[in-house]
């Protein structure tokens, strides 16, 4: 099997699950695990990344593949008979911009495969329930689609009042009891519910000690994004669409990508009322808003009277009102300053640690880094920030090439000629064009 196409039998089963869930939107489904057979497990294995770090058992994807069918058959049997024991995840810490660290969990490879198999089942069910405002970790949806939906919605309203929603440590504070209660409203298959419970209680291995947090999703787990979406669908999406919007005076909409969300309101009074009740809503499910990062931003279309509108960040972009070439006002996006600074710091650190590598190898990697940056941040109106990033990459590369030895300095003139003729750097490119997307 190659590419992203499922085997016909797996695709047919996914379609049956989706049709049943769509036909019975209020029904708790009790028979789902029977769809998981050896071919389903092979597809789950195919969708599982093979290059990740190893878990507590030290088993690599390569070793697991050596006896693949036997391993998958044994895993499937243990899961369905209730004998599968979810191993603890190995915790590592990665640095954050503010000097703190972010804990990341590394499950075993076998655990990743089984989590993928269950995620496929849950996806078949919940994709029929999830709403248009949700874009994170869903098939056929992306950050750029979320950004485009936000841009189009806010432009059609002429701006308004933007509520930036920041849930404090969401993935670490998600309540297990609340999640299992929410899950059982839609899924009551014993195998599925039991496995999810085991993953929630598997524990974390750190410095030789296993702890069992009573909150949070399986860190680093394949199933974590799905569980987060199930949780926030109930806590925020369904509540906003079903209870909040019918009571508002003016138009409003929400865009959510995982736990990053903004709500846009046409009325200041509506916005302030929702801002007042949102903490109470989240508190019912054990969640809290970050008091400094959650804020209400006036974001109306600029006029000659009164103060100008504010700006806000979402998914790595700063959103603000700016003048178009035709002289009108439009919502524009540029790389958020903290994201740009972080990207530059990473390139600088890489150039420093690899300064003695062959120049050709350095150039090859820097080209990849630039293209990757353009692929995400190459959005309409962001050319200047892309050019700034390119200039910073060139400056840092030259700086650390100069420190390879004490035999002379690589002047900007010599470096410019080298980059122009021998090691060209890719120019900034707008990959995601609002104008191309608007064409029929």
């Amino acid at each position: 099997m190659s590419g992203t196409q499922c085997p016909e039998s797996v695709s047919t089963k996914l379609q049956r699950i989706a049709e049943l869930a769509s036909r019975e939107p209020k029904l708790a489904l009790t028979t789902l695990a029977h769809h998981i057979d050896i071919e389903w497990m092979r597809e789950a294995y195919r969708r599982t990344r093979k290059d990740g770090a190893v878990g507590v058992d030290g088993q690599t994807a390569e070793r697991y593949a050596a006896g693949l069918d036997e391993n998958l058959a044994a895993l499937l049997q243990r899961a369905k008979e209730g004998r599968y024991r979810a191993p603890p995840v190995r915790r590592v810490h990665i640095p954050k911009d503010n000097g703190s660290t972010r804990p990341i969990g590394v499950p075993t490879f076998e655990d990743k495969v089984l989590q993928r198999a269950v995620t496929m089942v849950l996806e078949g069910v919940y994709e029929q329930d999830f709403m248009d405002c949700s874009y994170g970790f869903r098939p056929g949806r992306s950050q750029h689609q979320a950004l485009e939906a936000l841009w189009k919605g806010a432009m059609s309203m002429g701006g308004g009042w933007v509520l930036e929603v920041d849930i404090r440590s969401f993935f670490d504070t998600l309540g297990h009891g609340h999640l299992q209660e929410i899950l059982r409203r839609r899924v009551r298959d014993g195998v599925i519910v039991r496995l999810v419970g085991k993953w929630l209680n598997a524990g974390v291995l750190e410095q030789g000690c296993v702890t069992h947090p009573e909150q949070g999703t399986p860190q680093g787990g394949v199933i974590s994004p799905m569980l987060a979406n199930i949780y926030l669908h109930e806590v925020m999406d369904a509540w906003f669409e079903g209870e909040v919007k019918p009571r508002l005076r003016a138009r409003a909409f929400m865009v959510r990508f995982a736990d990053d969300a903004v709500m846009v309101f046409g009325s200041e009074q509506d916005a302030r009322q929702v801002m007042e009740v949102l903490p109470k809503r989240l508190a019912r499910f054990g969640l809290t808003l970050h008091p400094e990062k959650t804020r209400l931003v006036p974001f109306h279309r600029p006029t000659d009277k009164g103060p100008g509108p504010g700006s806000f960040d979402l998914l790595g972009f700063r959103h603000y009102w700016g003048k178009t070439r035709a002289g009108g006002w439009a919502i524009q996006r540029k790389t958020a300053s903290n994201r740009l600074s972080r990207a530059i710091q990473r390139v600088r650190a890489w150039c420093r640690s690899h300064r003695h590598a062959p120049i050709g190898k350095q150039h090859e990697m820097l080209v990849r880094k630039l293209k990757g940056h353009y692929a995400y941040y190459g959005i309409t109106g962001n050319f200047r920030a892309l050019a700034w990033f390119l200039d910073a990459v060139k400056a840092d590369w030259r700086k650390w090439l100069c420190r390879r030895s004490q035999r002379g300095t690589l002047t900007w003139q010599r470096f410019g000629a080298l980059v122009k003729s021998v090691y060209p750097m890719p120019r900034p490119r707008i990959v995601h064009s609002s104008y191309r997307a608007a064409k029929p």
Side-chain angles (χ1 to χ4, degrees):
M1 292 175 288
S2 62
T4 58
Q5 187 175 2
C6 290
E8 185 175 353
S9 63
V10 175
S11 179
T12 300
K13 290 175 182 178
L14 285 168
Q15 186 175 355
R16 287 174 182 167
I17 294 173
E19 289 175 351
L20 176 60
S22 180
R23 191 167 60 247
E24 302 287 352
K26 303 297 183 182
L27 180 67
L29 306 179
T30 58
T31 55
L32 293 170
H34 70 281
H35 292 293
I36 305 178
D37 56 14
I38 191 64
E39 193 162 17
W40 188 284
M41 296 298 292
R42 289 194 193 103
E43 176 63 12
Y45 166 82
R46 187 184 72 84
R47 296 188 187 188
T48 303
R49 283 187 56 182
K50 314 298 190 296
D51 58 350
V54 298
V56 295
D57 61 354
Q59 187 173 54
T60 64
E62 185 178 6
R63 282 176 51 198
Y64 196 83
L68 183 60
D69 283 347
E70 294 83 358
N71 288 333
L72 292 178
L75 176 60
L76 177 62
Q77 185 174 6
R78 281 182 285 139
K80 291 203 170 183
E81 292 178 356
R83 295 186 293 108
Y84 181 76
R85 296 183 63 183
V89 298
R90 182 172 63 86
R91 175 179 284 174
V92 297
H93 293 266
I94 60 174
K96 295 175 65 175
D97 291 342
N98 59 9
S100 63
T101 61
R102 183 191 306 276
I104 298 294
V106 182
T108 65
F109 182 76
E110 182 177 67
D111 206 42
K112 292 178 185 178
V113 174
L114 186 56
Q115 286 191 32
R116 176 61 64 190
V118 173
T119 298
M120 289 162 58
V121 174
L122 295 177
E123 189 176 277
V125 174
Y126 281 98
E127 275 301 308
Q128 319 314 310
D129 298 350
F130 290 159
M131 297 181 171
D132 286 342
C133 62
S134 169
Y135 289 86
F137 308 109
R138 294 181 58 190
R141 294 193 155 216
S142 68
Q143 293 100 320
H144 293 98
Q145 289 177 332
L147 291 165
E148 193 68 15
L150 174 61
W151 186 83
K152 289 181 177 178
M155 280 292 294
S156 69
M157 291 172 57
W161 292 81
V162 173
L163 177 57
E164 286 187 88
V165 179
D166 190 288
I167 302 174
R168 174 179 277 170
S169 302
F170 168 72
F171 285 93
D172 296 328
T173 59
L174 181 153
H176 292 177
H178 290 301
L179 174 59
Q180 289 175 311
E181 179 185 348
I182 292 170
L183 181 66
R184 288 192 184 97
R185 295 175 191 172
R186 200 69 169 106
V187 176
R188 289 186 186 168
D189 181 283
V191 173
I192 303 296
V193 172
R194 184 168 58 243
L195 284 172
V196 171
K198 288 182 177 183
W199 284 318
L200 292 175
N201 296 290
V204 176
L205 176 65
E206 186 173 15
Q207 297 180 346
C209 180
V210 176
T211 59
H212 296 271
E214 297 180 359
Q215 298 175 321
T217 58
Q219 292 182 343
V222 172
I223 201 169
S224 291
M226 171 58 69
L227 297 180
N229 270 336
I230 292 172
Y231 204 79
L232 289 176
H233 167 76
E234 175 70 21
V235 176
M236 289 184 63
D237 303 354
W239 171 74
F240 186 80
E241 293 292 329
E243 298 184 33
V244 174
K245 285 177 67 173
R247 294 177 169 86
L248 300 180
R249 296 167 177 79
R251 182 181 167 189
F253 71 94
M254 178 173 69
V255 172
R256 182 178 66 80
F257 192 96
D259 60 330
D260 290 327
V262 295
M263 300 175 181
V264 184
F265 301 88
S267 162
E268 179 182 359
Q269 186 175 355
D270 287 342
R272 294 195 179 279
Q273 287 179 344
V274 173
M275 189 176 185
E276 182 180 349
V277 300
L278 181 58
K280 302 172 186 176
R281 172 67 181 180
L282 296 181
R284 287 180 53 190
F285 297 88
L287 303 175
T288 58
L289 290 172
H290 195 294
E292 297 174 0
K293 297 180 180 179
T294 299
R295 62 193 188 109
L296 187 60
V297 180
F299 196 69
H300 49 272
R301 192 188 304 272
T303 62
D304 295 333
K305 301 178 181 179
S311 61
F312 65 94
D313 292 351
L314 181 69
L315 297 176
F317 289 91
R318 171 64 53 87
H319 301 254
Y320 64 99
W321 284 96
K323 280 291 187 81
T324 66
R325 292 182 179 180
W329 289 100
I331 298 172
Q332 299 181 357
R333 288 82 55 92
K334 63 181 178 181
T335 310
S337 58
N338 63 332
R339 292 293 188 93
L340 183 57
S341 175
R342 185 191 310 173
I344 293 172
Q345 289 172 5
R346 286 176 177 171
V347 169
R348 182 173 299 150
W350 188 92
C351 289
R352 178 182 181 180
S353 61
H354 293 81
R355 63 187 181 276
H356 294 299
I359 295 181
K361 292 293 185 181
Q362 292 187 45
H363 172 256
E364 180 182 345
M365 180 56 68
L366 290 175
V367 166
R368 288 173 58 186
K369 290 179 181 296
L370 283 166
K371 288 183 176 180
H373 188 86
Y374 300 160
Y376 186 77
Y377 292 103
I379 194 169
T380 299
N382 197 35
F383 189 88
R384 182 178 296 179
L386 300 182
W388 192 356
F389 180 70
L390 173 60
D391 289 343
V393 170
K394 289 180 179 179
D396 284 321
W397 192 28
R398 173 186 170 273
K399 171 184 175 180
W400 290 106
L401 286 178
C402 287
R403 299 192 182 187
R404 284 163 63 98
S405 70
Q406 302 298 322
R407 296 179 298 173
T409 302
L410 182 61
T411 65
W412 270 110
Q413 185 176 5
R414 287 181 56 202
F415 178 75
L418 191 69
V419 168
K420 182 176 181 181
S421 59
V422 184
Y423 300 114
M425 310 292 272
R427 293 175 58 81
R429 176 170 172 257
I430 300 302
V431 179
H432 308 278
S433 169
S434 297
Y435 303 113
R436 287 198 297 266
K439 292 182 179 179

